[in-house]
């Protein structure tokens, strides 16, 4: 992998980590289940991994979003040419209700990162400045 990870971080507005040729970002969300707060360490998170080159990269990941955010995320990802692989739930009786969306895309790394940022901007997930 020869990705310019600093450029990806700027496009996404999120710091990530590179490990063995894969660059990963992760953003946590919080819900309550049976009176207990559940968050990032329990899998309530949006994440994306990139590999390849700046000219031709792959991105794979999972969005954690509120049910009302789903349509905006779908439109942003598909508008960027990123495929939606699955939409489902990981939990039951959580408040607020959380949906999960798996995605996959191939293309220039910056285009993929901009598409992900557009989808993140349609959620209440807090990300850094662009």
């Amino acid at each position: 992998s020869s990705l310019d990870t600093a450029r990806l971080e700027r496009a996404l507005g999120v710091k990530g980590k590179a490990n063995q040729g894969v660059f990963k970002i992760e953003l946590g969300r919080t819900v309550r289940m049976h009176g207990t707060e559940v968050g990032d360490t329990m899998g309530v998170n949006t994440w994306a991994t990139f590999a390849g080159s700046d000219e031709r990269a792959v991105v794979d990941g999972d969005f954690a979003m509120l049910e009302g955010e789903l349509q905006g995320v779908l439109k942003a990802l598909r508008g960027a040419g990123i495929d939606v692989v699955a939409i489902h739930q990981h939990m039951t009786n959580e408040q607020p209700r959380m949906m999960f969306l798996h995605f996959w895309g191939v293309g220039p790394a910056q285009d993929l990162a901009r598409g992900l940022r557009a989808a993140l901007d349609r959620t209440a997930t807090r990300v850094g400045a662009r």
Side-chain angles (χ1 to χ4, degrees):
S1 187
S2 61
L3 293 167
D4 182 341
T5 58
R7 283 186 69 204
L8 288 174
E9 287 176 335
R10 284 191 301 276
L12 292 162
V14 178
K15 288 284 187 192
K17 294 182 181 177
N19 185 18
Q20 297 182 353
V22 176
F23 174 73
K24 183 176 185 178
I25 63 158
E26 190 173 339
L27 298 156
R29 300 286 298 255
T30 303
V31 297
R32 296 192 69 75
M33 291 181 70
H34 308 288
T36 302
E37 189 173 275
V38 179
D40 184 32
T41 57
M42 292 293 289
V44 185
N45 56 49
T46 295
W47 61 268
T49 57
F50 290 80
S53 67
D54 291 336
E55 297 77 27
R56 184 164 169 79
V58 296
V59 66
D60 176 44
D62 197 4
F63 259 85
M65 72 210 117
L66 301 176
E67 194 168 12
E69 297 169 344
L70 177 62
Q71 288 302 313
V73 170
L74 283 169
K75 289 176 183 176
L77 292 175
R78 290 302 305 134
I82 298 171
D83 293 322
V84 174
V85 178
I87 302 169
H88 59 280
Q89 295 164 275
H90 290 184
M91 302 173 280
T92 59
N93 299 315
E94 78 279 6
Q95 294 297 322
R97 186 175 176 151
M98 192 66 58
M99 305 295 292
F100 293 85
L101 179 152
H102 293 275
F103 60 88
W104 170 265
V106 178
Q110 288 299 300
D111 292 351
L112 296 171
R114 282 190 291 272
L116 287 179
R117 179 58 196 241
L120 285 168
D121 286 346
R122 287 164 175 81
T123 73
T125 302
R126 299 291 172 237
V127 296
R130 289 184 198 188

